[in-house]
Amino acid sequence: MVRILFTKTHKLKNQKMKKLLLFFLTLLLIFSCSKEKVDLIVINSNTYTVNTNFDTAAAFAVKNGVFVAVGKNAEITGKYEADVLVDAKKQTIVPGLIDAHCHFYRMGLQQQKVSLEGTKSYDEVLQKLVDFQKEKNTSFITGRGWDQNDWELKEFPTKEKLDVLFPILPVAIGRVDGHALLVNQAAIDLAGITKKTKISGGEIILKDGEMTGVLIDAAMRFITPPKTSKKAAIQGLLDAEKISFSYGLTTVDDAGLDRSTIELIDSLQQAGSLKMRVYAMVSGDKQTQIDYYINKGKIKTDRLNVRSFKIYGDGALGSRGAAMRASYSDRENHFGAFMYPPERYQEIAKQIAASDYQMNTHAIGDSTNSWMLKTYKDVLKDSKNRRWRIEHAQIIPEEDFNNFDNILPSVQPTHATSDMYWAGKRIGKKRMKGAYAFKDLLKKYGKIALGTDFPVEQVNPFLTFYAATIRKDLDSYPKDGFQMENALTREETLKGMTIWAAYSNFEEKEKGSIEVGKFADFVILNQDIMTVKGNRIPKTTAISTYLNGEKVY
Ligand SMILES: [Zn+2]
């Protein structure tokens, strides 16, 4: 009885088992044959992942905007399939580039102004104005960059020809240094000034008793071009994005934005019309704006990060506005100046320290750097994770380098090669030792964030790479490089433009390297920037740029 019973159940069980086995076998077959579907696969590349080991990889897979696998060609193609397969043909790929300090919005607005830098005659200036207006059709032509010292006739221009070309449309174009403005009669009429208008701290230049259209310093303030319209602001952002994508940038740190612009960026991103990732430093020039954002708290989406303030410490070295501890070497008894009284910085730092915001201060002169480092230290104590930044960190007194142990340097290598011709004259040999000292700064903090400050410098991040590593201008001057003890290695430079810049934005977990789980932001380059001959680095271009796995250039 027992045995029979057993065989019966055994038979039954056997049938069930067989069915189950068949089921699992089919399942196994399905799994082993079909590959996981992803959105994009890139193969045959020379990818610098910029992970902790600085590994290279040949292939990677992207799904839902993030990297899901990085490895060898066979590993990726064996496991994944995608409708979009990119054969990189051995080209170099790096993580999407981050500009840690730029003026993205301002650069965009500049596209709607005429650029007159390098013009060789007044007639060339006039021709540029005509061409510009034909293309942009603005209601008030503004621009900047003419310099009569570059012309054959080294005198200030007069407005006669301008009035003939533009009898109704107002025109106001600034001299290269921003201290003189050439305007036409339409702009003068709009401003309501005459040759008899009184001004102090400036001048209305006359010739034979008549206005020439040239206004100096305070007189320039009578001319107020119309406020930027919302349409122009949007166009500016889109123009800036297009230019930035063409250079492989996928994140920009805009160093100083007002609430209205931040909100405009957010709304355009939400609507999908602006794709660029923006680290928006809130402009700290208005107390109400500081209060507003501290009260509101951090704002974070996949494309927008608002958690920092940009504060101005001083001016620039070129115009001797940077605050120095001792007199300028090329102007006696001139020290430059802080933007605010010193106590104001302590007040701001205290307020920001009590919030979870980051403080990023523009500091060029040694006095400003020294004061800001001390001010930061007083409120932060030894905390490193607040990641407060000194923007530019241009001239550092020797004894202050140590203060960068927990304060993050954010520098622009092209400033070094732009300023190197005259900086030594301006501040003298001794102070130059601590100027543009990127390597010394890196050694103290262990990381350094790199940017351009565009549109002050060019947008092109490969010029940053060249200036940081080779420290020469595009004519290979100086022969041995400028203060080469402070050159960065190529690996350090690439990190400064990717993972360390991401760190400076508290975003190193989501971007800055090509690793599983991070946003699929990457650039395909025309040459291997890590091995190409130094003088060839400026020839680097982006072949295509991907943001969130989407081809944006
Ligand atoms: Zn700046």
Side-chain angles (χ1 to χ4, degrees):
M1 270 303 282
V2 173
R3 203 186 139 77
I4 293 167
L5 199 71
F6 174 62
T7 354
K8 257 191 172 169
T9 49
H10 186 73
K11 218 175 171 182
L12 259 172
K13 258 193 180 169
N14 236 347
Q15 273 176 342
K16 262 193 177 172
M17 284 289 276
K18 265 186 190 163
K19 270 188 185 165
L20 213 65
L21 200 68
L22 203 69
F23 173 73
F24 277 117
L25 271 173
T26 344
L27 217 63
L28 200 71
L29 211 66
I30 290 170
F31 268 111
S32 57
C33 283
S34 82
K35 300 172 184 176
E36 191 183 328
K37 186 102 175 146
V38 292
D39 302 324
L40 167 72
I41 289 174
V42 175
I43 55 164
N44 291 329
S45 73
N46 168 38
T47 292
Y48 292 95
T49 63
V50 196
N51 65 5
T52 319
N53 297 326
F54 210 74
D55 291 326
T56 53
F60 51 83
V62 172
K63 192 176 180 177
N64 298 329
V66 299
F67 297 112
V68 290
V70 182
K72 299 193 171 89
N73 283 325
E75 284 168 7
I76 301 300
T77 53
K79 201 169 162 201
Y80 301 96
E81 61 177 2
D83 294 333
V84 186
L85 177 84
V86 175
D87 183 345
K89 303 199 171 101
K90 301 278 178 248
Q91 295 284 17
T92 291
I93 294 181
V94 295
L97 300 174
I98 301 173
D99 191 316
H101 180 122
C102 64
H103 301 276
F104 178 73
Y105 177 59
R106 198 198 298 164
M107 185 269 277
L109 290 185
Q110 234 180 44
Q111 305 311 308
Q112 292 160 60
K113 293 180 183 172
V114 60
S115 158
L116 302 167
E117 274 86 6
T119 40
K120 293 276 169 276
S121 68
Y122 186 32
D123 283 336
E124 192 186 339
V125 168
L126 295 169
Q127 189 56 50
K128 281 212 163 178
L129 295 178
V130 171
D131 295 344
F132 172 84
Q133 184 56 14
K134 222 183 255 167
E135 190 195 328
K136 306 275 180 170
N137 192 26
T138 63
S139 57
F140 192 139
I141 298 181
T142 57
R144 182 166 160 174
W146 58 269
D147 183 353
Q148 82 282 7
N149 289 324
D150 291 345
W151 305 345
E152 209 169 311
L153 187 68
K154 295 185 192 331
E155 276 173 28
F156 271 143
T158 56
K159 67 182 176 60
E160 277 109 46
K161 284 181 181 172
L162 259 189
D163 288 338
V164 174
L165 288 169
F166 304 102
I168 300 161
L169 185 73
V171 180
I173 48 172
R175 193 179 178 274
V176 66
D177 63 358
H179 289 281
L181 194 67
L182 174 67
V183 297
N184 66 350
Q185 192 58 43
I188 290 171
D189 292 344
L190 201 66
I193 46 173
T194 69
K195 58 184 176 183
K196 292 195 179 112
T197 304
K198 293 259 174 292
I199 29 138
S200 64
E203 196 183 353
I204 296 173
I205 306 258
L206 307 178
K207 195 177 177 184
D208 306 325
E210 295 303 318
M211 290 172 81
T212 60
V214 175
L215 309 174
I216 305 292
D217 285 330
M220 296 162 45
R221 275 185 234 141
F222 290 110
I223 306 294
T224 43
K227 272 207 161 147
T228 309
S229 65
K230 189 174 175 190
K231 186 171 160 250
I234 294 172
Q235 193 54 50
L237 288 166
L238 296 178
D239 285 350
E241 173 179 80
K242 194 171 171 203
I243 294 167
S244 302
F245 282 160
S246 75
Y247 288 107
L249 293 169
T250 52
T251 296
V252 289
D253 290 21
D254 198 315
L257 288 174
D258 285 330
R259 181 180 159 193
S260 59
T261 310
I262 293 172
E263 288 173 355
L264 179 63
I265 289 171
D266 192 26
S267 69
L268 293 173
Q269 287 172 332
Q270 302 286 355
S273 42
L274 187 76
K275 290 178 174 160
M276 180 61 85
R277 302 191 202 275
V278 179
Y279 188 75
M281 299 184 206
V282 178
S283 177
D285 56 354
K286 292 186 277 286
Q287 182 62 46
T288 47
Q289 195 156 262
I290 299 179
D291 292 342
Y292 174 81
Y293 277 99
I294 284 187
N295 215 354
K296 192 171 174 71
K298 294 184 281 189
I299 302 167
K300 177 77 176 81
T301 70
D302 281 357
R303 297 186 198 239
L304 179 68
N305 198 353
V306 188
R307 56 164 305 150
S308 66
F309 291 102
K310 164 71 184 303
I311 310 291
Y312 271 96
D314 58 1
L317 195 61
S319 51
R320 298 188 187 81
M324 302 300 294
R325 299 195 300 180
S327 177
Y328 274 78
S329 305
D330 60 354
R331 187 184 288 177
E332 243 177 277
N333 279 319
H334 182 79
F335 297 83
F338 282 2
M339 206 62 86
Y340 310 122
E343 313 80 58
R344 173 72 184 137
Y345 297 102
Q346 295 173 311
E347 209 177 274
I348 296 174
K350 223 186 215 168
Q351 188 189 4
I352 300 176
S355 75
D356 44 16
Y357 267 66
Q358 177 193 44
M359 182 164 170
N360 301 335
T361 307
H362 164 114
I364 304 276
D366 57 4
S367 180
T368 320
N369 275 288
S370 197
W371 179 251
M372 290 318 301
L373 287 165
K374 184 188 173 316
T375 303
Y376 278 16
K377 288 252 162 184
D378 283 348
V379 294
L380 295 181
K381 312 293 175 210
D382 293 324
S383 162
K384 189 161 180 170
N385 209 32
R386 297 299 303 270
R387 306 185 193 183
W388 282 21
R389 296 163 44 165
I390 297 279
E391 302 297 325
H392 311 305
Q394 204 154 297
I395 306 161
I396 311 296
E398 204 186 329
E399 66 274 20
D400 273 312
F401 275 96
N402 282 331
N403 284 327
F404 279 97
D405 59 345
N406 70 333
I407 290 159
L408 221 163
S410 164
V411 304
Q412 303 73 39
T414 39
H415 282 345
T417 47
S418 291
D419 299 357
M420 63 184 176
Y421 312 102
W422 47 262
K425 245 185 235 155
R426 195 138 296 174
I427 61 170
K429 237 186 185 164
K430 194 165 168 264
R431 290 184 287 196
M432 275 305 278
K433 272 203 185 120
Y436 314 94
F438 310 144
K439 188 73 161 199
D440 291 338
L441 290 167
L442 168 62
K443 276 188 219 151
K444 290 297 169 196
Y445 191 87
K447 294 181 177 73
I448 193 165
L450 302 181
T452 58
D453 209 7
F454 72 65
V456 178
E457 300 279 355
Q458 293 184 53
V459 176
N460 189 344
F462 310 114
L463 298 181
T464 301
F465 198 95
Y466 177 67
T469 54
I470 309 298
R471 288 176 77 103
K472 291 182 186 179
D473 68 13
L474 294 174
D475 298 321
S476 288
Y477 172 88
K479 209 173 94 260
D480 298 319
F482 166 68
Q483 303 191 165
M484 284 308 282
E485 65 280 11
N486 268 302
L488 302 178
T489 66
R490 295 191 193 201
E491 184 175 325
E492 289 160 354
T493 303
L494 186 57
K495 284 179 175 169
M497 297 165 74
T498 55
I499 191 71
W500 291 341
Y503 174 91
S504 80
N505 299 351
F506 299 85
E507 295 173 335
E508 75 278 11
K509 290 203 172 77
E510 64 185 51
K511 64 172 75 150
S513 62
I514 295 176
E515 290 181 274
V516 172
K518 287 195 175 183
F519 291 138
D521 300 350
F522 61 94
V523 200
I524 306 181
L525 303 179
N526 68 329
Q527 58 182 5
D528 187 345
I529 198 165
M530 301 301 287
T531 58
V532 71
K533 263 186 83 183
N535 62 359
R536 297 272 312 159
I537 291 173
K539 300 259 188 282
T540 310
T541 58
I543 295 174
S544 48
T545 306
Y546 287 77
L547 191 151
N548 227 44
E550 181 192 351
K551 190 171 183 220
V552 291
Y553 171 71

